[in-house]
């Protein structure tokens, strides 16, 4: 007689099955046979009282079947399968099945804080109502249906040092005092000059704030500007009417406001980060939401609500009805988390990206979904934002665009396609991979390697307990962003860090500096935007035994680079680097951004570089950061030219339609020695020359060309030019 083997004795229990009656409310629909997916205790049927009682049907979906939505927000959450019995099924149950199948609805059973969604599935057996039962957190499905149908994701913003920098009189005085103490012990005259310039900027804005506190006016460039009374629209359930005194200084990119209108000491001086308007308009372009917007900050709530009102005055990004739940304030000594941001079930963390200047304040599981921006430092480095070819928030816009494109490409081409092929008889493992925002973000912190000589910049801005912690020296270690350069100009302009194609990272003083991994990706995205070409990153698991991930870069559907690495981030950076090498030889002549120009001969690189790629990447493999040279007056002239050029470019942009790109092109330079070298630039719009400029340095030549172009655009009557300009609005 054979004895049972140990394997036979340890065989798992069979999946649970049973018969249950199904109701919609109190209306009986019919009998069903229920089969658990997993054996043993894990396969316990989820329905209480041994019956299935449907409370409601889910919202109808326009193009996404319910199983695709559930697999995205609750992957592999199938709990059991249901099949009608006897045959033919009860007419009411059959009608429910047909309604759910044809209208992309699911039947919802509510069990505590969980929803069980009965998804109508096609079957090999005809005319038999069959369902898969999936579990999801209550409210999450209803919130996700609209987002997935509209191809919309969620984006979460930090406020202080990410989008704005704000100061009270107290924080202004604290920073001035701290800088003064540093100056007293500093021996380097260059650093002393930099600190002096920084203090001067603080004092200038402090005086404006003091005047606002005392008189409700400010004097700016000889003009006396009074307050505007701005009514704060009450949130639902709040009856109190609130009117704040506000002064907006668009030339300074600044706003003065008062958190509590009755208490003058709550007055705040707010500096808005440049290019916020570009990012904001992208999020809601043409009235269509690309992202649902949230805020997560460590600031005090009344302050956070007012700052957001200043950033979104028309409530286009967050409606008043949603404001209270979408502006989330966390304690300074706790970590931020997407689970907390979406505690009301508004979105799944996998469908959300974060814009923040700090990575380590987020839960580890959320960090792959954080795009880290350099901390906004308008007092320490006022020119840093505009010195880059692409402003920081335009980079964030490009990253958001790439993330959204990658997410929904995976959703449409993989998940949706495979879900439509699934039958009731398929197994749980047949479900496709669900996309995650983190798959399309290169996660990095923006910390710089500190220099032993340079003191760290003082954290800027005011955000309650958070800033108090920073001022007391208890900030997160990873939050100190320092520049390790031995040269700071008299105006203390922080030289922008530039990446290299070879990956070599060299500072002016010979030290090493880590490149932000997303630099290559960002440059590719900006080139694609300016060329009106689609840039795609396609990620797959590598077949190699050594490496695991493979990423391809497609430019207008043409593969231009591939990278293989041990992580997806490494593969993406390698792919982007190779793609840029190909673009350097094949696409450089297409277009130049407004902040730089394209060199027609890419083999020749004038000092400092002059193309979009050369402005960001030096072809010799070294970071193109040059030490200041010449007298202080020359440096000031150079900075004045940069400021004027930025202003002129902004005016040109305002005149042109959004989809029109004004191009700077360099012409052949006059031969001769470096001391006699001249730069020649021309400005073009739609192939027509608008202005020419000549100068001994690039910035002056660009400025001459830009000013001539601006004068031409303001006075031209040429219909071929005017069709590319915005219509002139007459003031009534």
């Amino acid at each position: 007689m054979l004895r049972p083997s140990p394997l036979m004795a340890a065989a798992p229990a069979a999946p649970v099955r049973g018969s249950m009656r199904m109701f919609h409310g109190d209306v009986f629909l019919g009998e069903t046979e229920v089969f658990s997916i997993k054996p043993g205790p894990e396969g316990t049927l989820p329905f209480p009282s041994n019956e299935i009682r449907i409370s409601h049907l889910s919202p109808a979906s326009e193009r996404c079947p319910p199983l695709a939505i559930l697999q995205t927000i609750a992957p592999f959450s199938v709990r059991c399968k249901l099949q009608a019995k006897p045959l033919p099924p009860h007419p009411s149950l059959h009608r429910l099945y047909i309604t759910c199948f044809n209208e992309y609805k699911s039947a919802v059973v509510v069990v505590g804080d969980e929803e069980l969604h009965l998804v109508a599935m096609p079957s090999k057996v005809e005319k038999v109502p069959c369902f898969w039962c999936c579990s999801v957190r209550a409210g999450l499905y209803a919130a996700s249906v609209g987002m997935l149908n509209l191809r919309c994701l969620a984006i979460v913003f930090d406020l202080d040092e990410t989008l704005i920098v704000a100061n009270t009189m107290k924080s202004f005085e604290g920073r001035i005092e701290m800088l003064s103490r540093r100056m007293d012990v500093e021996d380097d005259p260059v650093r002393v000059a930099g600190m002096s310039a920084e203090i001067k900027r603080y004092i200038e804005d402090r005086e404006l704030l003091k005047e606002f506190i005392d008189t409700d006016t400010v004097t700016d460039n000889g003009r006396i500007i009074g307050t505007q009374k701005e009514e704060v629209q009450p949130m639902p359930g709040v009856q109190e009417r609130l009117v704040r005194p506000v002064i907006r200084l668009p030339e300074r990119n600044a706003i003065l406001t008062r958190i509590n209108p009755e208490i003058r000491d709550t007055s705040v001086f707010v500096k808005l980060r440049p290019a916020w308007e570009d990012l904001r308009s992208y999020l809601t372009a043409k009235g269509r939401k690309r992202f649902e917007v949230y805020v997560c900050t460590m600031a005090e709530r009344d302050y956070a609500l007012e700052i957001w009102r200043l950033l979104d005055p028309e409530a286009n990004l967050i409606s008043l009805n949603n404001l209270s739940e979408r502006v989330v304030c966390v304690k300074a000594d706790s970590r931020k988390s997407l689970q907390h941001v979406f505690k009301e079930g508004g979105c799944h963390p996998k469908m959300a990206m974060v814009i923040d200047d700090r990575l380590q304040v987020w839960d580890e599981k959320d960090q792959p979904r954080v795009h880290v921006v350099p901390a906004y430092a308008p007092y320490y480095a006022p020119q840093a934002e505009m010195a880059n070819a692409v402003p920081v928030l335009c980079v964030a816009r490009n990253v958001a665009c790439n993330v959204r494109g990658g997410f929904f490409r995976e959703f449409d081409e993989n998940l949706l396609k495979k879900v439509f092929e699934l039958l009731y008889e398929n197994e749980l493992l047949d479900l496709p991979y669900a996309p995650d925002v983190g798959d399309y973000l290169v996660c990095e912190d923006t910390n710089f390697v500190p220099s032993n000589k340079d003191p760290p910049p003082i954290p800027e801005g005011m955000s309650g307990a958070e800033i108090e912690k920073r001022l007391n020296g208890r900030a997160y270690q990873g939050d100190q962003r320092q520049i390790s350069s031995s040269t700071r100009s008299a105006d203390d302009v922080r030289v922008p860090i530039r990446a290299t194609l070879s990956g070599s990272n060299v500072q002016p003083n010979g030290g090493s500096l880590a490149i932000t991994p997303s630099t290559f990706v960002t440059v590719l995205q900006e080139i694609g935007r300016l060329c009106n070409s689609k840039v795609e990153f396609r990620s797959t698991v590598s077949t190699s035994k050594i490496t695991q991930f493979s990423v391809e870069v497609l430019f207008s559907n043409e593969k231009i680079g591939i990278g293989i690495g041990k992580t997806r981030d490494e593969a993406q950076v390698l792919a982007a680097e190779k793609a840029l090498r190909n673009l350097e030889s094949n696409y450089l002549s297409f277009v130049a951004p407004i902040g730089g120009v394209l060199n027609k001969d890419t083999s020749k690189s004038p000092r400092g570089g002059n193309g979009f790629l050369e402005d960001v990447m030096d072809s010799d493999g070294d970071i193109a950061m040059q030490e200041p040279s010449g007298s202080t007056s020359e440096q000031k002239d150079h900075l004045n030219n940069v400021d004027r050029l930025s202003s002129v470019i902004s005016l040109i942009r305002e005149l042109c339609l959004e989809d029109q790109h004004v191009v700077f092109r360099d012409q052949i330079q006059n031969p001769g020695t470096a001391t006699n070298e001249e730069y020649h630039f021309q400005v073009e719009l739609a192939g027509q020359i608008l202005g020419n400029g000549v100068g001994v340095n690039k910035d002056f030549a660009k400025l001459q060309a830009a000013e001539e172009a601006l004068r031409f655009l303001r006075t031209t009557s040429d219909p071929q030019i005017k069709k590319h300009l915005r219509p002139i609005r007459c003031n009534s």
Side-chain angles (χ1 to χ4, degrees), residues 652-672:
I652 292 176
R653 282 175 174 163
E654 291 176 3
L655 291 174
C656 297
L657 294 171
E658 289 184 4
D659 59 347
Q660 298 300 317
H661 300 297
V662 177
V663 178
F664 279 83
R665 295 196 186 279
D666 67 333
Q667 299 170 300
I668 298 176
Q669 300 172 17
N670 290 340

Side-chain angles (χ1 to χ4, degrees), residues 282 353 371 390-406 409 440-442 444 517-537 553-555 560 572 576 579-580 583 591 593 612-613 617 661:
Y282 164 75
M353 68 174 290
H371 171 64
V390 187
V392 169
L393 292 187
C394 286
V395 173
R397 175 201 62 197
N398 295 345
V399 170
C401 181
N402 187 58
V403 166
R404 179 173 172 268
R409 183 175 58 251
Y440 311 101
L441 269 174
V442 178
E444 79 280 343
S518 66
T519 303
F520 301 125
V521 178
T522 298
V523 171
L524 273 175
Q525 291 165 342
E526 186 64 12
I527 291 174
R529 185 180 70 83
L530 293 170
C531 294
N532 292 321
S533 300
K534 187 177 183 181
V535 177
E536 300 180 67
F537 290 86
V553 182
L554 302 181
F555 191 89
I560 60 171
Q572 186 178 30
L580 282 172
L583 282 177
V591 69
F612 176 70
L613 289 178
M617 304 177 185
H661 300 297

Side-chain angles (χ1 to χ4, degrees), residues 593-610:
I594 198 125
V597 295
L598 292 175
N599 187 8
K600 295 177 182 178
D601 184 357
T602 59
S603 65
K604 299 177 181 179
S605 180
R607 54 181 187 180
N610 71 335

Side-chain angles (χ1 to χ4, degrees), residues 162-163 273-276 279 355 373 385 391-397:
T162 298
L163 299 182
R273 191 164 205 160
W276 164 245
L279 176 55
I355 306 292
V373 298
E385 293 289 315
V392 169
L393 292 187
C394 286
V395 173
R397 175 201 62 197

Side-chain angles (χ1 to χ4, degrees), residues 611-668:
F612 176 70
L613 289 178
E614 284 122 334
D615 274 351
V616 181
M617 304 177 185
D618 179 64
S619 59
D620 294 330
D622 295 331
I623 290 183
M625 292 164 54
Q626 301 181 356
E627 298 189 16
S629 60
S631 65
T632 302
S633 62
E634 289 175 342
Q635 293 175 17
K636 288 183 178 179
D637 289 341
H638 167 71
L639 293 172
N640 288 336
N641 288 340
V642 171
D643 287 340
R644 287 174 59 194
L645 178 60
S646 175
S647 300
V648 173
I649 289 173
S650 297
L651 293 172
I652 292 176
R653 282 175 174 163
E654 291 176 3
L655 291 174
C656 297
L657 294 171
E658 289 184 4
D659 59 347
Q660 298 300 317
H661 300 297
V662 177
V663 178
F664 279 83
R665 295 196 186 279
D666 67 333
Q667 299 170 300
I668 298 176

Side-chain angles (χ1 to χ4, degrees), residues 238-272:
V238 178
Q239 302 298 325
E240 183 181 358
R241 179 176 177 269
L242 190 63
V243 178
R244 285 195 175 100
V246 175
I247 295 178
R248 297 178 181 270
L249 303 173
E251 297 84 0
R252 293 177 175 266
N253 219 26
I255 304 175
L256 295 96
T257 185
R258 194 164 295 148
I259 307 302
N260 185 337
E262 305 300 323
I263 304 177
R264 290 182 175 269
D265 285 343
T266 64
S267 299
V268 184
F269 189 98
V270 183
K271 277 188 173 289
L272 308 183

